[in-house]
Amino acid sequence: MGGGNCNPKDFGAAAYWEARYSSPSTGGKGGGGGGFFDWYQSYSALRPLLRACVPTSSRVLMLGCGNSLLSEDMVKDGYQNIVNIDISSVVIEQMKEKHMDIPRLTYMQLDVRDMSFFGDGSFDCIIDKGTLDAMMCGDDAPHGAYKMLAEVARLMRPGGIYMLITYGAPKERLTLLNQVQCCWEVELYIMPTPEYQLKWSNGAAHAMMEKVALTVDRQLPPDYVLKDPESHFIYVCYKSDIVTEDNSMVAGQDDAMTSF
């Protein structure tokens, strides 16, 4: 996550987000109420993967929703039930007001490290677009990130999906996921940044998303080269209803590389 002159550690602090969403430049007071911002990727870029993995009837939890358009765009595309949470009470009130006429979208102020408001197995899909990255910038990292992932695992029904969009490579993110008391089957997709795609696609709208098979030790293939050094890693993590003795992850079954 980047931009501006803020210290990266600000991304892990509630006070940073309250101040950010109170600023006119991000849709706060005096900003006309129309401010939206999407970290990393837009719905149009993620749509092929979301539609392939997440049925529109799914109950979806959006972690760290901020003032992103992702949930709104998903509802416009047929998704029926999306619960949005964020640590910032400021942005939650903004989004409630903006979407008061869309009952399929609900907004709640919650800390992702403690989502005890929800019962076990409450969601079919949990989407995280940059929230784990923000937690890894916090003063309590990596402990706070671990607490968040433990809550994610608890809230997902067996067979449910945790879709993680992150800057973190497998060495960092899969190691963290594997510490949670859950058995995951993980598929990895890699997508260049929107800026890179625009530069090399001559303005074409086609999203460049590649499925990449992990090695036996859950790393990128040794000969794999990122097209864009700033690429986003997208982990589609399926929660197994069988927990192995060592809580180890199970890699995806498809060894082929495909593109969307």
Side-chain angles (χ1 to χ4, degrees), residues 142-153:
H143 182 63
Y146 169 80
K147 289 174 68 176
M148 186 196 91
L149 290 174
E151 281 287 81
V152 165

Side-chain angles (χ1 to χ4, degrees), residues 8-14 16-17 87 113 134-140:
K9 283 206 176 284
D10 289 339
F11 290 129
Y16 167 79
W17 296 108
I87 199 169
R113 292 166 292 192
M135 296 303 300
M136 290 300 290
C137 293
D139 289 336
D140 64 347

Side-chain angles (χ1 to χ4, degrees), residues 55-68:
T56 55
S57 59
S58 301
R59 190 180 190 216
V60 177
L61 177 64
M62 191 72 65
L63 300 180
C65 63
N67 54 10
S68 167

Side-chain angles (χ1 to χ4, degrees), residues 164 168-179 184 186 188 214 217-219 235 237 249:
L164 170 63
K171 183 177 180 180
E172 293 82 25
R173 291 298 179 263
L174 295 189
T175 298
L176 194 60
L177 274 167
N178 203 32
Q179 294 174 8
W184 306 98
V186 180
L188 172 64
L214 296 166
D217 59 350
R218 300 185 292 275
Q219 301 301 317
Y235 301 93
C237 311
M249 293 182 297

Side-chain angles (χ1 to χ4, degrees), residues 21-87:
Y21 293 124
S22 297
S23 169
S25 64
T26 54
K29 293 181 180 179
F36 292 98
F37 183 80
D38 265 303
W39 295 97
Y40 299 0
Q41 302 286 346
S42 66
Y43 179 61
S44 60
L46 296 171
R47 183 182 186 275
L49 185 58
L50 279 165
R51 292 304 297 255
C53 298
V54 184
T56 55
S57 59
S58 301
R59 190 180 190 216
V60 177
L61 177 64
M62 191 72 65
L63 300 180
C65 63
N67 54 10
S68 167
L69 285 170
L70 180 60
S71 295
E72 179 182 337
D73 288 342
M74 288 178 67
V75 163
K76 288 178 179 177
D77 199 29
Y79 285 90
Q80 299 296 314
N81 186 351
I82 303 179
V83 179
N84 302 271
I85 65 171
D86 200 282
I87 199 169

Side-chain angles (χ1 to χ4, degrees), residues 5 9 19 38 67 70 105 107 117 121 132-133 156 189 197 213:
N5 298 315
K9 283 206 176 284
D38 265 303
N67 54 10
L70 180 60
L105 292 175
Y107 289 88
F117 178 87
L132 182 60
D133 289 2
M156 289 170 57
Y189 299 81
Q197 295 187 54

Side-chain angles (χ1 to χ4, degrees), residues 241-253:
D241 55 357
I242 301 174
V243 179
T244 61
E245 184 175 344
D246 61 355
N247 297 307
S248 61
M249 293 182 297
V250 181
Q253 300 298 313

